[in-house]
Amino acid sequence: MSIAIAIDGPAGAGKSTLSKAVAKELSFIYVDTGALYRTIGLAAARKGIDKNDKENIVKILDEIEVKLAFNDEGTQIVLLNGEDVSGYIRTPEASMYASSVSAIPEVRAFLLDLQRNMAKNDNVIMDGRDIGTVVLPDAKIKIFLTASPETRAMRRYKENLEKGIECNYDDVLKDVNERDYNDSHRDIAPLKPAEDSITVDTSDYDFEGSKNALLKVIKENM
């Protein structure tokens, strides 16, 4: 029987990077659900649709095929209608689009079966905003991964600079707080810990410390 581990938490908590590392350590398949929403947002942006234009975003869903695959190096990539868009979905614009489109019920329904099917046949670690509460409510282990807004903003700020993306810390912090508010106040599947989740706060940890904290919780509850 397959094992599903759900990891939820706010933007910038390191869910994707840490989940990927932990999945590799445990030989699980990593599913980056945030990338799926970013891809829908990218499709809308490319068509010139405003991120808050729900009607027209819903209209283009029939034209979209989203898949997770692996390239020749064994790295997971995201395909939008057959195109590898893994690099394009990591911009600040894609992040804000993801926050908006993820609040649209039709978009969530569009991606729900895709996410659940991934957990049916394989051992998976899946991260997002509502994995433990909505997508995989029966997941064996549920973790709410978080860190202070200031810590998350500083991590994102440094990450952007390393990628050559010009920004300033105050703007990044503002975006983090705005994303937190939008995610936790949306009507559909708001960001919140599942009742039976375990909270892991990485504010005081570096990457290795955060990874070890996650692994400890998972191994204790397997």
Side-chain angles (χ1 to χ4, degrees):
M1 186 176 178
S2 60
I3 297 173
I5 299 173
I7 298 183
D8 292 309
K15 295 187 303 297
S16 297
T17 309
L18 288 167
S19 296
K20 191 182 302 180
V22 169
K24 183 177 181 180
E25 189 107 2
L26 299 173
S27 296
F28 277 40
I29 291 175
Y30 165 61
V31 180
D32 179 1
T33 62
L36 303 178
Y37 287 101
R38 286 170 177 268
T39 303
I40 301 294
L42 176 66
R46 284 181 168 182
K47 287 185 174 291
I49 301 172
D50 184 271
K51 68 180 187 296
N52 296 312
D53 187 349
K54 172 185 172 180
E55 182 179 350
N56 281 308
I57 290 173
V58 171
K59 282 182 179 178
I60 67 169
L61 291 177
D62 288 340
E63 307 169 18
I64 295 174
E65 181 185 59
V66 183
K67 287 184 178 180
L68 293 179
F70 293 90
N71 61 20
D72 294 338
E73 287 77 41
T75 301
Q76 190 177 74
I77 59 174
V78 189
L79 302 176
L80 170 59
N81 296 333
E83 176 194 354
D84 180 1
V85 295
S86 305
Y88 297 112
I89 63 173
R90 297 301 173 184
T91 65
E93 181 187 33
S95 179
M96 294 310 296
Y97 260 87
S99 182
S100 296
V101 303
S102 64
I104 301 174
E106 290 86 349
V107 173
R108 304 197 73 82
F110 178 77
L111 293 174
L112 184 59
D113 286 342
L114 173 64
Q115 296 170 75
R116 285 180 173 168
N117 286 336
M118 291 176 182
K120 281 182 180 178
N121 302 313
D122 297 289
N123 293 332
V124 301
I125 290 182
M126 192 176 294
D127 77 272
R129 301 289 189 280
D130 64 344
I131 308 305
T133 54
V134 176
V135 180
L136 301 177
D138 297 322
K140 181 174 179 61
I141 300 171
K142 301 175 187 177
I143 294 171
F144 193 79
L145 184 69
T146 190
S148 69
E150 292 77 15
T151 297
R152 290 183 283 125
M154 182 56 69
R155 290 172 180 169
R156 183 63 53 84
Y157 170 71
K158 290 179 178 177
E159 184 181 282
N160 285 343
L161 292 183
E162 288 173 1
K163 292 178 178 178
I165 300 173
E166 291 190 13
C167 61
N168 69 66
Y169 170 78
D170 288 338
D171 287 341
V172 176
L173 179 59
K174 180 182 177 183
D175 286 344
V176 166
N177 284 324
E178 181 180 340
R179 183 80 185 269
D180 283 355
Y181 182 87
N182 290 341
D183 286 346
S184 60
H185 287 78
R186 66 191 181 205
D187 294 330
I188 305 297
L191 169 67
K192 62 179 180 180
E195 290 184 3
D196 53 347
S197 68
I198 301 165
T199 296
V200 176
D201 190 320
T202 66
S203 297
D204 297 327
Y205 296 143
D206 60 9
F207 177 78
E208 281 301 315
S210 299
K211 185 181 80 169
N212 290 335
L214 269 180
L215 282 168
K216 183 174 184 291
V217 168
I218 290 170
K219 289 176 179 179
E220 286 176 348
N221 290 276
M222 288 275 274

